[in-house]
Amino acid sequence: MATFFRRMAIRYIFLTLFFCEDSGFFARVASFGINYGQVANNLPSPDKVLELLSNLKITKTRIYDTNPEILSVFAKSNVEVIVTVENVMLSQLNDPEQALQWVSGHIKPYLPDTKITGIQVGNELFTNGDTSLIQYLVPAVVNIHNALVRLGIDSNIHVSTPSSLEVLQESYPPSAGSFKSEISGIMSQFLSFLKTTKAPFWINAYPYFAYKDDPNRIPLDYVLFNPNEGMVDPNTNLHYDNMLYAQVDAVSFAIARLGFSGIEVRVSETGWPSKGDPNETGATLQNAQTYNRNLLRRQMANEGTPLSPRMRLEAYFFALFNEDMKTGATSERNYGLFQPDETMTYNVGLAAFAASSTSSTSISLTSSATKTKAASKEFQSLFFWMFVCLLTSAFCGFV
């Protein structure tokens, strides 16, 4: 009988050590992602960018093409890369053989040395009511995925596409989320593909645009993650203290409204411009710093949205650098956390994140709203380890 209890004790200890999520000893902050855009003529070389990411302990990035220099330089690094099929390529990918040729030339040569974890087929294919690009989406993702399968390299690479919030007909309150009727058929087919392949639904979500368009009605603190009263969804009674989480959950409700469940929603882009034109309300360095710093804190606290509080929201910041060759409003060239010379545009706390990847860092940088939650987990962890020590001591006494 004593042997039985000793075996059970050993099994409990080791199983708990390996599977307990709240254990302070093993817990670490999940890395956030950052978009590495290249629409500029003054950016550092890819090897310098890799060095920057490595120093900051950023292990996830997304690029907007399949730049061979970047993919080669990032080989044997710890950085996971999501690549993008440019929009101009989509019509060609209707042909399965063209898709196979594309994967053979743009993905396979870099595996397994470069950690390519995703292929984004196009970017924001539905904008301003134009359906000319999104009609190619489903054949393209299916053919790209099938090409990965044929080449035996599909196991670690998901295939999806990032959409803007323009795909939604309704987004407020979040429970009213629904896709626009003109693309609901395509979305149903696309969601079926995501469900089958277990790939996520990616959304480019920018609370900045909502605030810029209606600053008199939308509280600035609500969009910047600052302390505020927030809003309560009247249909679900879920409380939202920031707009980003409300936007993400609106997408989840839109997916559910089409009859799908279990599809994770991730944020492919979010950010705030540090400079803008006179009519771009809110585009200031202070607001950009506040938005990104507060989002970083929540990422480090592994937060989920009110609808999915136990699932960490995966988000990719936009963007790594200011990009001087982007067209359009001044804000378009001023989303970078860094200047092209690798100096910080403003301080969001990345240096502290780089100092440590343990849960203690998340406590030191979390806001007052999340500090209690993080401290509670550490407190629980302390008691857990005290219990393990006592149990181990008791076991040793029996031997």
Side-chain angles (χ1 to χ4, degrees):
M1 182 64 69
T3 301
F4 170 78
F5 281 114
R6 283 198 294 270
R7 288 176 178 171
M8 290 299 293
I10 291 172
R11 288 174 182 172
Y12 176 82
I13 291 171
F14 282 98
L15 285 172
T16 309
L17 290 181
F18 281 101
F19 295 109
C20 181
E21 293 181 353
D22 290 334
S23 166
F25 186 83
F26 287 99
R28 63 182 293 274
V29 175
S31 174
F32 57 91
I34 195 161
N35 287 278
Y36 173 15
Q38 306 151 59
V39 188
N41 59 10
N42 55 358
L43 297 182
S45 60
D47 61 312
K48 292 290 185 181
V49 174
L50 177 59
E51 183 179 356
L52 175 64
L53 295 178
S54 299
N55 289 340
L56 295 171
K57 295 186 180 178
I58 297 175
T59 60
K60 296 180 180 180
T61 191
R62 173 193 171 206
I63 60 176
Y64 291 81
D65 52 21
T66 53
N67 186 307
E69 185 180 3
I70 293 175
L71 294 179
S72 296
V73 168
F74 279 44
K76 299 188 183 302
S77 74
N78 196 38
V79 179
E80 298 177 1
V81 183
I82 295 176
V83 301
T84 306
V85 180
E86 295 95 327
N87 287 358
V88 295
M89 285 290 301
L90 258 65
S91 61
Q92 300 177 40
L93 299 179
N94 270 4
D95 180 355
E97 291 305 315
Q98 288 283 344
L100 179 62
Q101 183 177 338
W102 186 90
V103 172
S104 298
H106 292 80
I107 304 297
K108 193 174 187 298
Y110 304 100
L111 300 175
D113 290 346
T114 303
K115 296 180 180 178
I116 299 175
T117 59
I119 299 174
Q120 301 285 42
V121 180
N123 184 55
E124 296 190 351
L125 301 181
F126 179 77
T127 55
N128 301 319
D130 184 359
T131 60
S132 60
L133 279 175
I134 201 170
Q135 64 177 316
Y136 299 117
L137 173 61
V138 175
V141 294
V142 169
N143 289 337
I144 289 290
H145 175 72
N146 287 344
L148 292 171
V149 173
R150 286 177 63 180
L151 295 171
I153 54 175
D154 61 300
S155 58
N156 297 315
I157 302 176
H158 71 249
V159 180
S160 188
T161 193
S163 298
S164 74
L165 286 170
E166 284 196 42
V167 299
L168 296 183
Q169 180 68 44
E170 299 289 344
S171 62
Y172 184 86
S175 59
S178 61
F179 291 111
K180 288 184 175 176
S181 57
E182 59 264 44
I183 59 171
S184 61
I186 293 173
M187 278 297 169
S188 289
Q189 297 174 52
F190 177 56
L191 292 170
S192 179
F193 168 81
L194 296 183
K195 182 75 173 178
T196 301
T197 60
K198 297 180 172 58
F201 187 102
W202 292 94
I203 189 76
N204 293 345
Y206 289 89
Y208 159 71
F209 290 122
Y211 177 74
K212 177 181 71 73
D213 292 341
D214 200 355
N216 294 323
R217 293 183 57 194
I218 298 176
L220 182 60
D221 286 333
Y222 180 63
V223 293
L224 292 180
F225 298 95
N226 282 333
N228 66 95
E229 292 182 3
M231 60 84 66
V232 175
D233 189 310
N235 301 315
T236 62
N237 289 324
L238 293 174
H239 177 262
Y240 292 86
D241 67 355
N242 69 86
M243 180 175 283
L244 179 68
Y245 289 4
Q247 291 175 333
V248 171
D249 280 355
V251 174
S252 295
F253 277 105
I255 292 172
R257 191 159 269 109
L258 288 182
F260 294 89
S261 62
I263 297 175
E264 182 182 355
V265 177
R266 298 178 183 175
V267 178
S268 40
E269 290 181 15
T270 191
W272 197 285
S274 59
K275 186 186 298 184
D277 294 321
N279 64 341
E280 294 188 287
T281 304
T284 67
L285 189 145
Q286 180 61 48
N287 286 343
Q289 180 182 35
T290 301
Y291 180 85
N292 286 307
R293 187 180 185 88
N294 285 341
L295 176 57
L296 177 63
R297 288 167 171 168
R298 291 180 181 240
Q299 283 284 285
M300 294 174 72
N302 295 327
E303 278 193 1
T305 69
L307 183 63
S308 305
R310 296 185 179 181
M311 177 180 292
R312 177 184 182 274
L313 175 63
E314 183 163 339
Y316 280 62
F317 288 74
F318 186 87
L320 184 56
F321 297 110
N322 284 335
E323 298 172 69
D324 67 340
M325 294 181 67
K326 281 202 159 188
T327 59
T330 297
S331 61
E332 288 295 316
R333 295 177 287 282
N334 289 279
Y335 275 90
L337 300 183
F338 288 87
Q339 301 286 356
D341 64 1
E342 299 180 55
T343 59
M344 290 186 295
T345 307
Y346 44 82
N347 184 9
V348 297
L350 283 171
F353 177 81
S356 173
S357 62
T358 63
S359 56
S360 60
T361 307
S362 67
I363 295 176
S364 66
L365 286 180
T366 46
S367 63
S368 58
T370 58
K371 187 177 293 183
T372 303
K373 179 180 177 182
S376 174
K377 287 188 176 182
E378 291 299 310
F379 194 62
Q380 293 170 8
S381 176
L382 174 62
F383 274 95
F384 165 75
W385 283 106
M386 288 174 63
F387 173 75
V388 170
C389 290
L390 289 173
L391 189 62
T392 305
S393 298
F395 163 71
C396 292
F398 282 114
V399 177

